[in-house]
Amino acid sequence: MTLLVSALVFLAVVAAVAGVVLGREGAAARLLGARLRRFGLRGETAEAGIERDVRYSSIPWFDRLLRAANLGERLELLLYQAGMKTRPGVIVLLTAVCLIGGYVLGVVLFHRVPTALLLMLVAGPLPLGYAAYRKHARMKAFAREFPDALDLLVSALRAGLSFSAAMQIVAEESPDPVRGEFAVTVEEQSLGIDFREAMVNLTRRVDSLDLRFFVTAVLLQRDTGGNLAEILHSTSVLLRDRFRVLGDIQTFTAQGRMTGAILGVLPLFMALFMLTTAPDYFRPMLESPSGRVALMVAAGMQLLGMLVIRQIVKIKV
């Protein structure tokens, strides 16, 4: 009961701190909006045009800590690639909350420190895992739409438009996330950033091998010359062939991936089934020290087997 009360108090303190921080941000935004309205400026465009907020956290000392640890920049890039409009400091705080919450939950439910540490290690990476999942989904959507964007770019170049104008058409007509990334590149060029630097920035923002092929082809064409439309058309054909090969690989490795999934889920399912239907039969595995050690060794070997199967069926093209 004491631990449960402590956990509730901790969560209440975290919620209060978050409320104070968000309240300060909201008050600052309202104050800035009021000052802009005095000068006849309205809307988000005016606010964004004055100053860009580059803080990793709204808490000053925490922002300085993230910059000193060289952690905020990597987290900021991960959150941008995931399409999540939040600060890196929020992810770090959520990770800390999950770590402490997992430990407290393990102590309250199981009254054992090793189990609590295990739950802490499982719950801690959840915020980063969710951000990585969102990044993977967004990059996959970019790769799926990118060949069509290249075809649109080639059509615009063959119609006589310049490369910058063709990029502008892609930024207006393509679906997200291709549209957003190309729009940022077009805006960087319009603000005076060098063409090569703008294209390199595009590859830094988007973690896609197909995009690197495209940028490399464009930069080589600007240095050596040639028909850019034909080069990009060949690049588009190459990317579509690569997608076809990846589809064939997914088909050929389906059995191995299904085997890995079944072998990973089956032991856990059987343990829960026996614990529910015959608790007296399975209870010695949980109560005796040797049984718990055997379960931990089995779980480690199971995880190792899943990783080995994944590496076998993971083929890069």
Side-chain angles (χ1 to χ4, degrees), residues 182-287:
F182 273 74
V184 172
T185 303
V186 171
E187 184 177 358
E188 285 182 347
Q189 294 184 52
S190 64
L191 292 176
I193 296 179
D194 181 68
F195 176 81
R196 177 180 291 273
E197 183 178 356
M199 299 301 291
V200 172
N201 290 338
L202 178 61
T203 61
R204 291 173 180 169
R205 292 193 307 270
V206 181
D207 186 12
S208 173
L209 182 62
D210 301 336
L211 182 66
R212 296 191 185 99
F213 289 155
F214 162 72
V215 172
T216 301
V218 171
L219 295 180
L220 285 177
Q221 188 274 336
R222 289 182 68 89
D223 293 338
T224 61
N227 191 337
L228 182 57
E230 293 299 327
I231 294 175
L232 295 183
H233 175 70
S234 301
T235 304
S236 176
V237 173
L238 174 64
L239 296 183
R240 293 186 186 278
D241 290 340
R242 182 170 173 269
F243 272 111
R244 180 181 55 79
V245 173
L246 286 175
D248 294 339
I249 291 175
Q250 292 291 318
T251 302
F252 295 147
T253 59
Q255 181 180 358
R257 289 183 285 112
M258 183 61 68
T259 301
I262 293 176
L263 292 178
V265 175
L266 185 59
L268 181 60
F269 175 78
M270 291 301 298
L272 293 176
F273 178 75
M274 287 191 296
L275 186 61
T276 304
T277 58
D280 294 335
Y281 179 78
F282 194 75
R283 187 175 291 118
M285 294 295 295
L286 299 176
E287 294 179 350

Side-chain angles (χ1 to χ4, degrees), residues 29-282:
R30 289 192 296 270
L31 180 60
L32 180 58
R35 291 179 179 177
L36 291 174
R37 284 192 292 271
R38 293 176 186 174
F39 293 98
L41 299 176
R42 298 179 181 273
E44 297 179 356
T45 305
E47 297 182 11
I50 292 177
E51 182 180 1
R52 178 177 177 266
D53 193 353
V54 294
R55 295 175 297 171
Y56 296 144
S57 174
S58 57
I59 305 174
W61 65 267
F62 195 45
D63 178 70
R64 291 193 296 269
L65 180 62
L66 291 176
R67 294 182 184 277
N70 197 21
L71 182 63
E73 185 176 356
R74 292 195 294 268
L75 285 177
E76 187 179 37
L77 179 60
L78 173 63
L79 294 175
Y80 176 84
Q81 292 175 342
M84 300 173 61
K85 297 181 179 179
T86 184
R87 299 180 191 273
V90 175
I91 297 296
V92 176
L93 290 178
L94 287 177
T95 302
V97 170
C98 289
L99 286 171
I100 298 175
Y103 180 81
V104 172
L105 184 64
V107 171
V108 170
L109 295 180
F110 301 99
H111 306 286
R112 297 182 183 278
V113 174
T115 307
L117 293 175
L118 181 61
L119 285 178
M120 182 179 69
L121 294 177
V122 171
L126 288 179
L128 288 175
Y130 176 71
Y133 168 75
R134 289 281 301 270
K135 172 191 172 181
H136 176 73
R138 189 168 180 266
M139 295 299 103
K140 187 175 181 180
F142 184 94
R144 184 173 58 251
E145 301 293 342
F146 188 58
D148 294 335
L150 276 184
D151 291 340
L152 181 61
L153 190 66
V154 170
S155 299
L157 290 174
R158 287 176 175 174
L161 298 178
S162 64
F163 183 77
S164 299
M167 290 273 289
Q168 181 67 39
I169 292 177
V170 173
E172 293 175 355
E173 301 296 335
S174 297
D176 283 325
V178 175
R179 175 174 56 189
E181 297 299 337
F182 273 74
V184 172
T185 303
V186 171
E187 184 177 358
E188 285 182 347
Q189 294 184 52
S190 64
L191 292 176
I193 296 179
D194 181 68
F195 176 81
R196 177 180 291 273
E197 183 178 356
M199 299 301 291
V200 172
N201 290 338
L202 178 61
T203 61
R204 291 173 180 169
R205 292 193 307 270
V206 181
D207 186 12
S208 173
L209 182 62
D210 301 336
L211 182 66
R212 296 191 185 99
F213 289 155
F214 162 72
V215 172
T216 301
V218 171
L219 295 180
L220 285 177
Q221 188 274 336
R222 289 182 68 89
D223 293 338
T224 61
N227 191 337
L228 182 57
E230 293 299 327
I231 294 175
L232 295 183
H233 175 70
S234 301
T235 304
S236 176
V237 173
L238 174 64
L239 296 183
R240 293 186 186 278
D241 290 340
R242 182 170 173 269
F243 272 111
R244 180 181 55 79
V245 173
L246 286 175
D248 294 339
I249 291 175
Q250 292 291 318
T251 302
F252 295 147
T253 59
Q255 181 180 358
R257 289 183 285 112
M258 183 61 68
T259 301
I262 293 176
L263 292 178
V265 175
L266 185 59
L268 181 60
F269 175 78
M270 291 301 298
L272 293 176
F273 178 75
M274 287 191 296
L275 186 61
T276 304
T277 58
D280 294 335
Y281 179 78
F282 194 75

